[in-house]
Amino acid sequence: MIIKPILDRIFGKFYKEYDFLKKSYDVLKGFGFTDDNAIASVCICRDEISQTVRSHVKRMWGEAFNFSSLAGLFTAGKTGLKAFISHAPKVDGKERYVFYAFSHIAIDENENMGVCKRKGLEKSHACGALCLFLNELSGGKINIRLDEEDIEESLLKRRILRELKYGEVPDLLTLTKITLKVIVEDLENIIEKVVEPKKADYAVISGIQIHGPEENYIVPDEAYVVVDGEKKKLEI
């Protein structure tokens, strides 16, 4: 596949999407997580081309709680996370949660970032929400007013601007990496406030979802498990 040498050159390590999710499931089994005793969640972009992650997670873990918003930002807050953990099975006196978190970007066979094909569209873009934000940055005029008719994009711009230096206009790949950092940081912040390590084990698995010309891939990033309050890095 022509995209694989491109991904290898840009990222070094990557997996076909299903292979990554299956590997994560197998690794977590070694820490006592199974589809019978754990509940999974996904925090990804709303884009239809991103939903393959949900399909694979469902295949392995069963129906997953959906934290998704534009660009994959975690905006569900304490209420959303409390709802998620309240649905977890209690097996042998323990609850187990799995958090999957991904930003995403398209890459075509000519190495054009953000460019993909959709059904009936020869040229489309992903992540569209980030591309829109980047266009505003490039134009030098950002509207950070909270638009009640466009709440998620408003929150996206406000949150990511906090990570940029004044006047900085990153390229789309850099912005995608920054977005992943934001997703994980915001998720971890609420986990720290809501999850009780004495009663629950949990795992956080993150990365960048890549939409290639023929299929999706995952570039792995931070992944760890917390068992009995002890954090351990996962090798995926």
Side-chain angles (χ1 to χ4, degrees), residues 38 58 62 79 112 171 183 215 227-228 233:
K58 177 181 178 180
T79 298
N112 294 308
D171 58 36
I183 294 168
E215 62 184 304
V227 176
D228 295 328
K233 183 178 179 180

Side-chain angles (χ1 to χ4, degrees), residues 17-33:
E17 188 174 82
Y18 173 81
D19 293 344
F20 175 81
L21 292 165
K22 179 63 167 62
K23 187 172 177 61
S24 73
Y25 179 84
D26 291 340
V27 168
L28 286 175
K29 280 178 67 177
F31 291 91
F33 291 71

Side-chain angles (χ1 to χ4, degrees), residues 7 9-10 21 34 36 61 76 79 114-115 131 150 160 166 181 198 205 208 212 229 232:
L7 296 181
R9 185 169 63 256
I10 296 173
L21 292 165
T34 70
D36 292 322
W61 296 101
T79 298
V115 178
C131 289
D150 200 10
I160 296 180
Y166 182 78
K181 173 179 175 287
K198 290 184 178 180
I205 298 171
I208 299 175
K232 297 180 180 179

Side-chain angles (χ1 to χ4, degrees), residues 21-172:
L21 292 165
K22 179 63 167 62
K23 187 172 177 61
S24 73
Y25 179 84
D26 291 340
V27 168
L28 286 175
K29 280 178 67 177
F31 291 91
F33 291 71
T34 70
D35 56 323
D36 292 322
N37 67 17
I39 184 171
S41 66
V42 293
C43 194
I44 56 177
C45 185
R46 292 187 179 278
D47 269 6
E48 82 291 343
I49 57 175
S50 292
Q51 302 312 306
T52 47
V53 166
R54 291 183 61 199
S55 299
H56 295 320
V57 170
K58 177 181 178 180
R59 181 175 174 182
M60 295 165 204
W61 296 101
E63 294 286 2
F65 197 95
N66 190 0
F67 289 123
S68 303
S69 68
L70 289 181
L73 255 65
F74 177 76
T75 57
K78 293 179 181 178
T79 298
L81 199 67
K82 287 178 180 178
F84 167 62
I85 66 177
S86 72
H87 303 164
K90 296 175 178 62
V91 179
D92 299 326
K94 178 85 68 165
E95 297 176 9
R96 296 169 179 85
Y97 324 131
V98 182
F99 299 93
Y100 287 103
F102 302 103
S103 61
H104 77 131
I105 190 172
I107 304 176
D108 72 8
E109 62 273 17
N110 297 314
E111 209 169 320
N112 294 308
M113 295 291 173
V115 178
C116 62
K117 295 180 181 179
R118 283 179 162 92
K119 182 171 62 176
L121 296 172
E122 278 300 306
K123 187 176 181 179
S124 187
H125 297 88
C127 169
L130 291 185
C131 289
L132 179 64
F133 176 48
L134 194 55
N135 286 339
E136 287 193 23
L137 281 175
S138 299
K141 187 176 181 180
I142 301 290
N143 180 6
I144 59 171
R145 177 178 62 88
L146 185 60
D147 185 350
E148 292 187 0
E149 295 181 350
D150 200 10
I151 288 177
E152 288 190 6
E153 185 72 10
S154 298
L155 293 175
L156 169 69
K157 290 188 290 186
R158 285 183 168 198
R159 179 63 183 89
I160 296 180
L161 275 173
R162 287 161 46 190
E163 306 298 319
L164 303 180
K165 295 179 181 178
Y166 182 78
E168 179 182 3
V169 182
D171 58 36
L172 183 59

